Short mmCIF file of all heavy atoms in Angstrom, two decimals:
data_model
loop_
_atom_site.label_atom_id
_atom_site.label_comp_id
_atom_site.label_asym_id
_atom_site.label_seq_id
_atom_site.Cartn_x
_atom_site.Cartn_y
_atom_site.Cartn_z
N PHE K 1 108.79 50.78 128.74
CA PHE K 1 109.96 51.54 129.11
C PHE K 1 110.97 51.46 127.98
O PHE K 1 110.89 50.59 127.12
CB PHE K 1 110.55 51.06 130.43
CG PHE K 1 111.17 49.68 130.39
CD1 PHE K 1 112.51 49.52 130.09
CD2 PHE K 1 110.42 48.56 130.67
CE1 PHE K 1 113.08 48.26 130.06
CE2 PHE K 1 110.98 47.30 130.65
CZ PHE K 1 112.32 47.14 130.34
N THR K 2 111.90 52.38 127.98
CA THR K 2 112.98 52.35 126.99
C THR K 2 114.19 51.66 127.60
O THR K 2 114.38 51.67 128.81
CB THR K 2 113.36 53.76 126.52
OG1 THR K 2 113.78 54.52 127.64
CG2 THR K 2 112.21 54.44 125.83
N ASN K 3 114.98 51.06 126.75
CA ASN K 3 116.09 50.24 127.21
C ASN K 3 117.35 50.65 126.47
O ASN K 3 117.65 50.13 125.41
CB ASN K 3 115.74 48.78 126.96
CG ASN K 3 116.74 47.83 127.57
OD1 ASN K 3 117.71 48.23 128.17
ND2 ASN K 3 116.48 46.55 127.39
N ASP K 4 118.07 51.61 127.01
CA ASP K 4 119.31 52.06 126.41
C ASP K 4 120.46 51.37 127.13
O ASP K 4 120.41 51.23 128.34
CB ASP K 4 119.40 53.59 126.58
CG ASP K 4 120.65 54.16 125.97
OD1 ASP K 4 120.98 53.75 124.85
OD2 ASP K 4 121.28 55.00 126.61
N PRO K 5 121.48 50.85 126.53
CA PRO K 5 121.92 51.08 125.16
C PRO K 5 121.40 50.05 124.16
O PRO K 5 121.89 49.97 123.04
CB PRO K 5 123.44 50.97 125.27
CG PRO K 5 123.64 49.91 126.30
CD PRO K 5 122.50 50.11 127.29
N TYR K 6 120.43 49.24 124.53
CA TYR K 6 119.96 48.20 123.62
C TYR K 6 118.96 48.70 122.59
O TYR K 6 118.50 47.94 121.75
CB TYR K 6 119.38 47.03 124.41
CG TYR K 6 120.41 46.44 125.34
CD1 TYR K 6 120.37 46.69 126.70
CD2 TYR K 6 121.45 45.69 124.83
CE1 TYR K 6 121.33 46.17 127.54
CE2 TYR K 6 122.42 45.16 125.67
CZ TYR K 6 122.36 45.41 127.03
OH TYR K 6 123.31 44.91 127.86
N SER K 7 118.60 49.97 122.67
CA SER K 7 117.72 50.59 121.68
C SER K 7 116.41 49.84 121.55
O SER K 7 116.02 49.41 120.46
CB SER K 7 118.42 50.70 120.33
OG SER K 7 119.57 51.50 120.43
N GLN K 8 115.71 49.68 122.66
CA GLN K 8 114.44 48.95 122.65
C GLN K 8 113.35 49.74 123.36
O GLN K 8 113.61 50.48 124.31
CB GLN K 8 114.59 47.61 123.36
CG GLN K 8 115.52 46.66 122.70
CD GLN K 8 115.70 45.38 123.50
OE1 GLN K 8 115.57 45.37 124.72
NE2 GLN K 8 115.99 44.30 122.82
N LEU K 9 112.13 49.53 122.88
CA LEU K 9 110.93 49.96 123.59
C LEU K 9 110.26 48.68 124.05
O LEU K 9 109.93 47.81 123.24
CB LEU K 9 110.00 50.76 122.67
CG LEU K 9 108.65 51.15 123.28
CD1 LEU K 9 108.85 52.14 124.43
CD2 LEU K 9 107.74 51.75 122.22
N VAL K 10 110.09 48.54 125.38
CA VAL K 10 109.59 47.30 125.95
C VAL K 10 108.26 47.55 126.66
O VAL K 10 108.12 48.49 127.43
CB VAL K 10 110.62 46.72 126.96
CG1 VAL K 10 110.11 45.43 127.57
CG2 VAL K 10 111.96 46.51 126.29
N LYS K 11 107.29 46.69 126.39
CA LYS K 11 105.99 46.72 127.06
C LYS K 11 106.01 45.69 128.19
O LYS K 11 106.41 44.55 127.97
CB LYS K 11 104.88 46.38 126.07
CG LYS K 11 103.51 46.23 126.69
CD LYS K 11 102.50 45.79 125.65
CE LYS K 11 101.15 45.53 126.24
NZ LYS K 11 100.19 45.10 125.21
N VAL K 12 105.60 46.10 129.39
CA VAL K 12 105.53 45.19 130.53
C VAL K 12 104.09 45.20 131.03
O VAL K 12 103.53 46.24 131.34
CB VAL K 12 106.49 45.62 131.66
CG1 VAL K 12 106.39 44.65 132.83
CG2 VAL K 12 107.91 45.71 131.16
N THR K 13 103.47 44.02 131.10
CA THR K 13 102.08 43.90 131.54
C THR K 13 102.03 43.80 133.07
O THR K 13 103.04 43.53 133.71
CB THR K 13 101.42 42.65 130.94
OG1 THR K 13 102.06 41.48 131.50
CG2 THR K 13 101.53 42.63 129.42
N PRO K 14 100.84 43.97 133.65
CA PRO K 14 100.69 43.79 135.11
C PRO K 14 101.06 42.38 135.57
O PRO K 14 101.39 42.16 136.72
CB PRO K 14 99.22 44.08 135.37
CG PRO K 14 98.82 44.99 134.25
CD PRO K 14 99.61 44.51 133.06
N GLN K 15 101.04 41.40 134.64
CA GLN K 15 101.42 40.03 134.97
C GLN K 15 102.93 39.81 134.85
O GLN K 15 103.42 38.70 134.90
CB GLN K 15 100.69 39.04 134.05
CG GLN K 15 99.19 39.02 134.23
CD GLN K 15 98.51 40.21 133.58
OE1 GLN K 15 99.00 40.80 132.62
NE2 GLN K 15 97.36 40.59 134.12
N ASN K 16 103.69 40.91 134.64
CA ASN K 16 105.15 40.89 134.54
C ASN K 16 105.65 40.17 133.28
O ASN K 16 106.70 39.54 133.29
CB ASN K 16 105.79 40.30 135.79
CG ASN K 16 107.23 40.74 135.94
OD1 ASN K 16 107.60 41.82 135.48
ND2 ASN K 16 108.04 39.91 136.56
N VAL K 17 104.87 40.25 132.20
CA VAL K 17 105.28 39.71 130.91
C VAL K 17 105.83 40.87 130.08
O VAL K 17 105.15 41.89 129.91
CB VAL K 17 104.09 39.04 130.17
CG1 VAL K 17 104.50 38.58 128.79
CG2 VAL K 17 103.55 37.89 131.00
N SER K 18 107.05 40.72 129.59
CA SER K 18 107.64 41.80 128.80
C SER K 18 107.72 41.41 127.33
O SER K 18 107.98 40.26 126.99
CB SER K 18 109.02 42.18 129.33
OG SER K 18 109.89 41.08 129.25
N THR K 19 107.49 42.41 126.46
CA THR K 19 107.53 42.23 125.01
C THR K 19 108.26 43.41 124.40
O THR K 19 107.95 44.56 124.70
CB THR K 19 106.09 42.19 124.43
OG1 THR K 19 105.35 41.18 125.11
CG2 THR K 19 106.10 41.91 122.95
N VAL K 20 109.23 43.13 123.54
CA VAL K 20 109.93 44.20 122.82
C VAL K 20 109.02 44.66 121.68
O VAL K 20 108.65 43.88 120.81
CB VAL K 20 111.29 43.72 122.28
CG1 VAL K 20 111.95 44.80 121.44
CG2 VAL K 20 112.20 43.31 123.42
N LEU K 21 108.64 45.94 121.69
CA LEU K 21 107.78 46.51 120.65
C LEU K 21 108.57 47.09 119.50
O LEU K 21 108.17 46.97 118.34
CB LEU K 21 106.88 47.59 121.25
CG LEU K 21 105.95 47.15 122.38
CD1 LEU K 21 105.20 48.35 122.94
CD2 LEU K 21 104.98 46.09 121.88
N LEU K 22 109.67 47.78 119.81
CA LEU K 22 110.54 48.37 118.80
C LEU K 22 111.99 48.12 119.17
O LEU K 22 112.32 48.05 120.35
CB LEU K 22 110.31 49.89 118.71
CG LEU K 22 108.93 50.40 118.30
CD1 LEU K 22 108.88 51.92 118.44
CD2 LEU K 22 108.60 49.99 116.88
N ASP K 23 112.84 48.02 118.15
CA ASP K 23 114.27 47.90 118.40
C ASP K 23 115.03 48.62 117.30
O ASP K 23 114.44 49.39 116.54
CB ASP K 23 114.69 46.43 118.53
CG ASP K 23 114.40 45.61 117.28
OD1 ASP K 23 114.23 46.19 116.19
OD2 ASP K 23 114.36 44.38 117.40
N SER K 24 116.32 48.39 117.19
CA SER K 24 117.13 49.13 116.22
C SER K 24 116.68 48.87 114.78
O SER K 24 116.85 49.73 113.93
CB SER K 24 118.60 48.79 116.38
OG SER K 24 118.82 47.41 116.21
N SER K 25 116.06 47.73 114.50
CA SER K 25 115.57 47.48 113.15
C SER K 25 114.38 48.38 112.79
O SER K 25 114.05 48.53 111.62
CB SER K 25 115.18 46.00 112.97
OG SER K 25 114.04 45.70 113.75
N ASN K 26 113.75 48.99 113.80
CA ASN K 26 112.65 49.93 113.59
C ASN K 26 113.10 51.39 113.68
O ASN K 26 112.28 52.29 113.71
CB ASN K 26 111.55 49.72 114.62
CG ASN K 26 111.04 48.31 114.65
OD1 ASN K 26 111.37 47.56 115.57
ND2 ASN K 26 110.28 47.90 113.66
N GLY K 27 114.41 51.61 113.78
CA GLY K 27 114.92 52.96 113.85
C GLY K 27 115.25 53.46 115.24
O GLY K 27 115.64 54.61 115.41
N MET K 28 115.11 52.61 116.26
CA MET K 28 115.48 53.02 117.61
C MET K 28 116.99 53.18 117.67
O MET K 28 117.73 52.34 117.15
CB MET K 28 115.03 51.97 118.62
CG MET K 28 113.54 51.78 118.70
SD MET K 28 112.70 53.12 119.50
CE MET K 28 113.11 52.78 121.18
N ASP K 29 117.45 54.27 118.27
CA ASP K 29 118.89 54.54 118.30
C ASP K 29 119.29 55.18 119.61
O ASP K 29 119.40 56.38 119.73
CB ASP K 29 119.29 55.41 117.12
CG ASP K 29 118.49 56.69 117.01
OD1 ASP K 29 117.50 56.84 117.74
OD2 ASP K 29 118.86 57.56 116.22
N GLY K 30 119.50 54.36 120.63
CA GLY K 30 119.87 54.89 121.94
C GLY K 30 118.67 55.50 122.64
O GLY K 30 118.72 56.63 123.10
N SER K 31 117.59 54.76 122.74
CA SER K 31 116.35 55.27 123.33
C SER K 31 116.59 55.76 124.76
O SER K 31 117.26 55.10 125.54
CB SER K 31 115.27 54.20 123.31
OG SER K 31 115.76 52.99 123.83
N THR K 32 116.06 56.95 125.07
CA THR K 32 116.32 57.56 126.37
C THR K 32 115.07 57.78 127.21
O THR K 32 115.16 57.81 128.43
CB THR K 32 117.04 58.91 126.19
OG1 THR K 32 116.25 59.73 125.34
CG2 THR K 32 118.41 58.71 125.58
N ALA K 33 113.91 57.97 126.59
CA ALA K 33 112.68 58.24 127.35
C ALA K 33 111.47 58.02 126.47
O ALA K 33 111.57 58.02 125.24
CB ALA K 33 112.69 59.68 127.86
N CYS K 34 110.31 57.84 127.10
CA CYS K 34 109.06 57.72 126.34
C CYS K 34 107.92 58.34 127.15
O CYS K 34 107.97 58.39 128.37
CB CYS K 34 108.76 56.27 126.00
SG CYS K 34 108.54 55.17 127.40
N ALA K 35 106.91 58.83 126.42
CA ALA K 35 105.74 59.43 127.06
C ALA K 35 104.58 59.41 126.09
O ALA K 35 104.77 59.56 124.87
CB ALA K 35 106.03 60.87 127.48
N PHE K 36 103.37 59.22 126.62
CA PHE K 36 102.18 59.28 125.78
C PHE K 36 101.84 60.73 125.46
O PHE K 36 102.12 61.64 126.24
CB PHE K 36 100.99 58.63 126.48
CG PHE K 36 100.99 57.13 126.38
CD1 PHE K 36 101.50 56.36 127.41
CD2 PHE K 36 100.50 56.51 125.25
CE1 PHE K 36 101.50 54.98 127.32
CE2 PHE K 36 100.51 55.13 125.15
CZ PHE K 36 101.01 54.37 126.18
N GLY K 37 101.22 60.92 124.31
CA GLY K 37 100.76 62.25 123.91
C GLY K 37 99.53 62.66 124.70
O GLY K 37 99.03 61.92 125.55
N ARG K 38 99.02 63.84 124.39
CA ARG K 38 97.84 64.37 125.08
C ARG K 38 96.68 64.49 124.12
O ARG K 38 96.86 64.48 122.90
CB ARG K 38 98.17 65.73 125.68
CG ARG K 38 99.30 65.63 126.71
CD ARG K 38 99.59 66.93 127.33
NE ARG K 38 98.52 67.21 128.28
CZ ARG K 38 98.39 68.34 128.92
NH1 ARG K 38 99.23 69.31 128.73
NH2 ARG K 38 97.39 68.52 129.76
N LEU K 39 95.47 64.61 124.66
CA LEU K 39 94.23 64.78 123.90
C LEU K 39 94.08 63.70 122.84
O LEU K 39 94.06 62.53 123.17
CB LEU K 39 94.18 66.19 123.31
CG LEU K 39 94.30 67.34 124.34
CD1 LEU K 39 94.40 68.67 123.65
CD2 LEU K 39 93.14 67.30 125.32
N ARG K 40 94.00 64.06 121.58
CA ARG K 40 93.76 63.05 120.53
C ARG K 40 94.98 62.16 120.27
O ARG K 40 94.90 61.17 119.57
CB ARG K 40 93.32 63.72 119.23
CG ARG K 40 94.33 64.65 118.63
CD ARG K 40 93.79 65.30 117.34
NE ARG K 40 94.70 66.29 116.85
CZ ARG K 40 95.79 66.04 116.13
NH1 ARG K 40 96.10 64.81 115.82
NH2 ARG K 40 96.57 67.01 115.72
N LEU K 41 96.11 62.48 120.88
CA LEU K 41 97.34 61.69 120.70
C LEU K 41 97.61 60.76 121.89
O LEU K 41 98.71 60.28 122.06
CB LEU K 41 98.54 62.62 120.49
CG LEU K 41 98.50 63.46 119.22
CD1 LEU K 41 99.69 64.41 119.20
CD2 LEU K 41 98.49 62.58 118.00
N ARG K 42 96.59 60.46 122.70
CA ARG K 42 96.80 59.62 123.89
C ARG K 42 97.13 58.18 123.55
O ARG K 42 97.61 57.44 124.40
CB ARG K 42 95.57 59.67 124.80
CG ARG K 42 95.54 61.01 125.54
CD ARG K 42 94.67 61.04 126.73
NE ARG K 42 94.98 59.98 127.70
CZ ARG K 42 94.08 59.51 128.53
NH1 ARG K 42 92.86 59.95 128.52
NH2 ARG K 42 94.41 58.57 129.39
N LYS K 43 96.90 57.75 122.31
CA LYS K 43 97.30 56.41 121.89
C LYS K 43 98.64 56.43 121.15
O LYS K 43 99.03 55.44 120.56
CB LYS K 43 96.23 55.79 120.98
CG LYS K 43 95.00 55.32 121.72
CD LYS K 43 94.12 54.53 120.80
CE LYS K 43 92.93 53.97 121.54
NZ LYS K 43 92.09 53.16 120.66
N THR K 44 99.31 57.57 121.20
CA THR K 44 100.62 57.69 120.57
C THR K 44 101.69 57.78 121.65
O THR K 44 101.61 58.63 122.53
CB THR K 44 100.69 58.94 119.67
OG1 THR K 44 99.64 58.86 118.71
CG2 THR K 44 102.03 59.03 118.97
N LEU K 45 102.65 56.87 121.57
CA LEU K 45 103.76 56.87 122.51
C LEU K 45 104.97 57.47 121.79
O LEU K 45 105.39 56.96 120.76
CB LEU K 45 104.07 55.46 122.98
CG LEU K 45 105.10 55.29 124.07
CD1 LEU K 45 104.67 56.00 125.35
CD2 LEU K 45 105.34 53.82 124.35
N PHE K 46 105.48 58.56 122.33
CA PHE K 46 106.64 59.24 121.73
C PHE K 46 107.90 58.76 122.42
O PHE K 46 107.97 58.74 123.65
CB PHE K 46 106.49 60.75 121.86
CG PHE K 46 105.35 61.30 121.06
CD1 PHE K 46 104.11 61.49 121.63
CD2 PHE K 46 105.51 61.59 119.71
CE1 PHE K 46 103.04 61.98 120.89
CE2 PHE K 46 104.46 62.08 118.96
CZ PHE K 46 103.21 62.27 119.55
N VAL K 47 108.89 58.38 121.64
CA VAL K 47 110.15 57.86 122.17
C VAL K 47 111.29 58.75 121.68
O VAL K 47 111.46 58.94 120.48
CB VAL K 47 110.40 56.41 121.70
CG1 VAL K 47 111.69 55.87 122.31
CG2 VAL K 47 109.23 55.51 122.04
N THR K 48 112.04 59.29 122.62
CA THR K 48 113.21 60.09 122.25
C THR K 48 114.44 59.19 122.24
O THR K 48 114.56 58.26 123.03
CB THR K 48 113.45 61.25 123.24
OG1 THR K 48 113.59 60.71 124.55
CG2 THR K 48 112.30 62.24 123.21
N SER K 49 115.34 59.49 121.33
CA SER K 49 116.57 58.72 121.19
C SER K 49 117.75 59.67 121.06
O SER K 49 117.60 60.80 120.61
CB SER K 49 116.50 57.84 119.95
OG SER K 49 115.44 56.92 120.07
N ALA K 50 118.90 59.18 121.45
CA ALA K 50 120.11 59.99 121.40
C ALA K 50 121.20 59.24 120.65
O ALA K 50 121.12 58.03 120.47
CB ALA K 50 120.58 60.32 122.80
N SER K 51 122.20 59.95 120.23
CA SER K 51 123.37 59.35 119.62
C SER K 51 124.57 59.73 120.48
O SER K 51 125.06 60.85 120.39
CB SER K 51 123.54 59.86 118.19
OG SER K 51 124.66 59.27 117.60
N PHE K 52 124.99 58.82 121.33
CA PHE K 52 126.07 59.10 122.26
C PHE K 52 127.42 58.75 121.64
O PHE K 52 127.60 57.64 121.12
CB PHE K 52 125.89 58.30 123.55
CG PHE K 52 124.61 58.61 124.26
CD1 PHE K 52 123.57 57.70 124.28
CD2 PHE K 52 124.45 59.83 124.91
CE1 PHE K 52 122.39 57.98 124.95
CE2 PHE K 52 123.27 60.12 125.59
CZ PHE K 52 122.24 59.20 125.60
N PRO K 53 128.39 59.65 121.69
CA PRO K 53 129.69 59.38 121.07
C PRO K 53 130.46 58.25 121.74
O PRO K 53 131.32 57.65 121.12
CB PRO K 53 130.44 60.70 121.20
CG PRO K 53 129.75 61.45 122.28
CD PRO K 53 128.32 60.97 122.29
N PHE K 54 130.14 57.91 123.00
CA PHE K 54 130.87 56.86 123.70
C PHE K 54 130.29 55.47 123.48
O PHE K 54 130.85 54.49 123.95
CB PHE K 54 130.91 57.17 125.21
CG PHE K 54 129.56 57.39 125.82
CD1 PHE K 54 128.75 56.32 126.17
CD2 PHE K 54 129.08 58.68 126.01
CE1 PHE K 54 127.50 56.52 126.72
CE2 PHE K 54 127.83 58.89 126.57
CZ PHE K 54 127.04 57.81 126.92
N MET K 55 129.17 55.37 122.75
CA MET K 55 128.57 54.06 122.49
C MET K 55 129.40 53.28 121.47
O MET K 55 130.01 53.88 120.59
CB MET K 55 127.13 54.22 121.98
CG MET K 55 126.18 54.72 123.05
SD MET K 55 124.51 54.99 122.44
CE MET K 55 123.96 53.32 122.24
N PRO K 56 129.42 51.95 121.56
CA PRO K 56 130.13 51.16 120.55
C PRO K 56 129.55 51.41 119.16
O PRO K 56 128.37 51.74 119.02
CB PRO K 56 129.87 49.72 120.99
CG PRO K 56 129.37 49.79 122.38
CD PRO K 56 128.78 51.15 122.59
N ASP K 57 130.36 51.27 118.14
CA ASP K 57 129.94 51.56 116.76
C ASP K 57 128.66 50.82 116.37
O ASP K 57 127.81 51.38 115.69
CB ASP K 57 131.04 51.22 115.77
CG ASP K 57 132.18 52.22 115.82
OD1 ASP K 57 131.98 53.34 116.34
OD2 ASP K 57 133.27 51.88 115.33
N GLU K 58 128.49 49.57 116.80
CA GLU K 58 127.30 48.81 116.40
C GLU K 58 126.03 49.32 117.07
O GLU K 58 124.93 49.00 116.62
CB GLU K 58 127.49 47.31 116.68
CG GLU K 58 127.59 46.95 118.14
CD GLU K 58 129.02 47.00 118.69
OE1 GLU K 58 129.93 47.47 118.00
OE2 GLU K 58 129.21 46.57 119.83
N LEU K 59 126.15 50.12 118.12
CA LEU K 59 124.97 50.68 118.80
C LEU K 59 124.80 52.18 118.55
O LEU K 59 123.80 52.76 118.96
CB LEU K 59 125.08 50.44 120.31
CG LEU K 59 125.07 49.00 120.77
CD1 LEU K 59 125.30 48.93 122.27
CD2 LEU K 59 123.79 48.30 120.39
N ARG K 60 125.75 52.81 117.87
CA ARG K 60 125.70 54.25 117.69
C ARG K 60 125.11 54.60 116.33
O ARG K 60 125.45 54.03 115.32
CB ARG K 60 127.10 54.85 117.82
CG ARG K 60 127.09 56.37 117.76
CD ARG K 60 128.44 56.99 118.02
NE ARG K 60 129.45 56.45 117.15
CZ ARG K 60 130.64 56.02 117.57
NH1 ARG K 60 130.95 56.07 118.83
NH2 ARG K 60 131.52 55.55 116.72
N PHE K 61 124.20 55.57 116.33
CA PHE K 61 123.58 56.06 115.10
C PHE K 61 124.01 57.50 114.88
O PHE K 61 124.58 58.15 115.74
CB PHE K 61 122.06 55.93 115.19
CG PHE K 61 121.61 54.50 115.18
CD1 PHE K 61 121.64 53.73 116.34
CD2 PHE K 61 121.18 53.91 114.01
CE1 PHE K 61 121.25 52.41 116.32
CE2 PHE K 61 120.78 52.58 113.99
CZ PHE K 61 120.82 51.85 115.15
N GLU K 62 123.70 58.04 113.73
CA GLU K 62 124.19 59.35 113.33
C GLU K 62 123.56 60.52 114.08
O GLU K 62 124.24 61.45 114.47
CB GLU K 62 123.97 59.55 111.82
CG GLU K 62 124.78 58.58 110.98
CD GLU K 62 126.28 58.74 111.17
OE1 GLU K 62 126.75 59.89 111.27
OE2 GLU K 62 126.98 57.73 111.25
N THR K 63 122.24 60.51 114.25
CA THR K 63 121.57 61.67 114.82
C THR K 63 120.51 61.25 115.84
O THR K 63 119.96 60.16 115.75
CB THR K 63 120.86 62.50 113.73
OG1 THR K 63 119.91 61.66 113.08
CG2 THR K 63 121.85 63.02 112.71
N PRO K 64 120.21 62.11 116.81
CA PRO K 64 119.10 61.85 117.72
C PRO K 64 117.79 61.83 116.94
O PRO K 64 117.71 62.36 115.83
CB PRO K 64 119.14 63.03 118.69
CG PRO K 64 120.50 63.60 118.56
CD PRO K 64 120.93 63.33 117.15
N SER K 65 116.76 61.22 117.51
CA SER K 65 115.49 61.13 116.78
C SER K 65 114.31 61.11 117.75
O SER K 65 114.47 60.97 118.96
CB SER K 65 115.46 59.87 115.91
OG SER K 65 115.50 58.72 116.72
N LEU K 66 113.13 61.26 117.17
CA LEU K 66 111.87 61.14 117.90
C LEU K 66 111.00 60.18 117.10
O LEU K 66 110.75 60.40 115.91
CB LEU K 66 111.18 62.50 118.02
CG LEU K 66 109.79 62.49 118.66
CD1 LEU K 66 109.88 62.09 120.13
CD2 LEU K 66 109.13 63.84 118.52
N ILE K 67 110.55 59.11 117.74
CA ILE K 67 109.71 58.12 117.08
C ILE K 67 108.33 58.18 117.70
O ILE K 67 108.18 58.25 118.93
CB ILE K 67 110.30 56.70 117.23
CG1 ILE K 67 111.65 56.61 116.51
CG2 ILE K 67 109.34 55.65 116.73
CD1 ILE K 67 112.35 55.30 116.72
N ALA K 68 107.29 58.15 116.87
CA ALA K 68 105.91 58.10 117.34
C ALA K 68 105.40 56.68 117.12
O ALA K 68 105.34 56.20 115.98
CB ALA K 68 105.04 59.11 116.60
N TYR K 69 105.04 55.98 118.19
CA TYR K 69 104.57 54.60 118.12
C TYR K 69 103.09 54.57 118.43
O TYR K 69 102.65 55.07 119.47
CB TYR K 69 105.34 53.73 119.12
CG TYR K 69 104.87 52.31 119.18
CD1 TYR K 69 105.19 51.40 118.18
CD2 TYR K 69 104.07 51.86 120.23
CE1 TYR K 69 104.75 50.10 118.23
CE2 TYR K 69 103.62 50.56 120.29
CZ TYR K 69 103.96 49.68 119.28
OH TYR K 69 103.50 48.39 119.33
N GLY K 70 102.30 53.99 117.55
CA GLY K 70 100.86 53.87 117.76
C GLY K 70 100.54 52.72 118.68
O GLY K 70 100.74 51.56 118.33
N ALA K 71 100.07 53.02 119.88
CA ALA K 71 99.74 52.00 120.88
C ALA K 71 98.30 51.53 120.69
O ALA K 71 97.47 52.23 120.10
CB ALA K 71 99.94 52.55 122.28
N ASP K 72 97.99 50.35 121.21
CA ASP K 72 96.62 49.83 121.08
C ASP K 72 95.67 50.39 122.12
O ASP K 72 94.46 50.32 121.98
CB ASP K 72 96.62 48.29 121.12
CG ASP K 72 97.29 47.71 122.35
OD1 ASP K 72 97.90 48.47 123.11
OD2 ASP K 72 97.19 46.49 122.54
N LYS K 73 96.22 50.98 123.19
CA LYS K 73 95.38 51.60 124.23
C LYS K 73 95.94 52.97 124.58
O LYS K 73 97.14 53.22 124.44
CB LYS K 73 95.36 50.72 125.48
CG LYS K 73 94.71 49.39 125.23
CD LYS K 73 94.60 48.60 126.50
CE LYS K 73 93.94 47.27 126.16
NZ LYS K 73 93.63 46.50 127.30
N ALA K 74 95.08 53.82 125.06
CA ALA K 74 95.50 55.15 125.46
C ALA K 74 96.29 55.07 126.77
O ALA K 74 95.97 54.29 127.65
CB ALA K 74 94.31 56.08 125.65
N GLY K 75 97.33 55.89 126.85
CA GLY K 75 98.15 55.93 128.05
C GLY K 75 97.89 57.21 128.83
O GLY K 75 97.15 58.10 128.38
N TYR K 76 98.48 57.30 129.99
CA TYR K 76 98.35 58.48 130.83
C TYR K 76 99.44 59.49 130.43
O TYR K 76 100.62 59.16 130.52
CB TYR K 76 98.47 58.10 132.30
CG TYR K 76 98.08 59.22 133.22
CD1 TYR K 76 96.75 59.51 133.43
CD2 TYR K 76 99.03 59.98 133.85
CE1 TYR K 76 96.38 60.55 134.27
CE2 TYR K 76 98.68 61.02 134.69
CZ TYR K 76 97.35 61.30 134.89
OH TYR K 76 96.98 62.31 135.72
N PRO K 77 99.04 60.68 129.97
CA PRO K 77 100.05 61.64 129.50
C PRO K 77 100.79 62.31 130.66
O PRO K 77 100.28 62.41 131.77
CB PRO K 77 99.22 62.66 128.74
CG PRO K 77 97.88 62.62 129.39
CD PRO K 77 97.69 61.17 129.84
N LEU K 78 102.00 62.76 130.37
CA LEU K 78 102.74 63.57 131.33
C LEU K 78 102.05 64.91 131.48
O LEU K 78 101.47 65.43 130.55
CB LEU K 78 104.18 63.78 130.86
CG LEU K 78 105.05 62.56 130.80
CD1 LEU K 78 106.41 62.92 130.22
CD2 LEU K 78 105.22 61.93 132.17
N ARG K 79 102.14 65.52 132.62
CA ARG K 79 101.54 66.83 132.84
C ARG K 79 102.60 67.82 133.26
O ARG K 79 103.53 67.56 133.85
CB ARG K 79 100.46 66.76 133.90
CG ARG K 79 99.38 65.79 133.47
CD ARG K 79 98.08 66.11 134.16
NE ARG K 79 97.13 65.11 133.77
CZ ARG K 79 96.18 65.32 132.88
NH1 ARG K 79 96.06 66.46 132.29
NH2 ARG K 79 95.33 64.37 132.58
#
């Protein structure tokens, strides 16, 4: 899941173990949503980010972005 305003992509296992996969040091900037790609991109997790004007300066980035994260397993794509 994405964790805004902390700019993180977090993996949670069925055993309830959470691991931060990406954060602001990887270019995350106000992460808002994530979804797996389709077909040959099912191992790619796309993360959308926003730049909100009301965020504190240390959490605010210049422009919205899209990050493609290579996952180790294929995910279920949105339809």
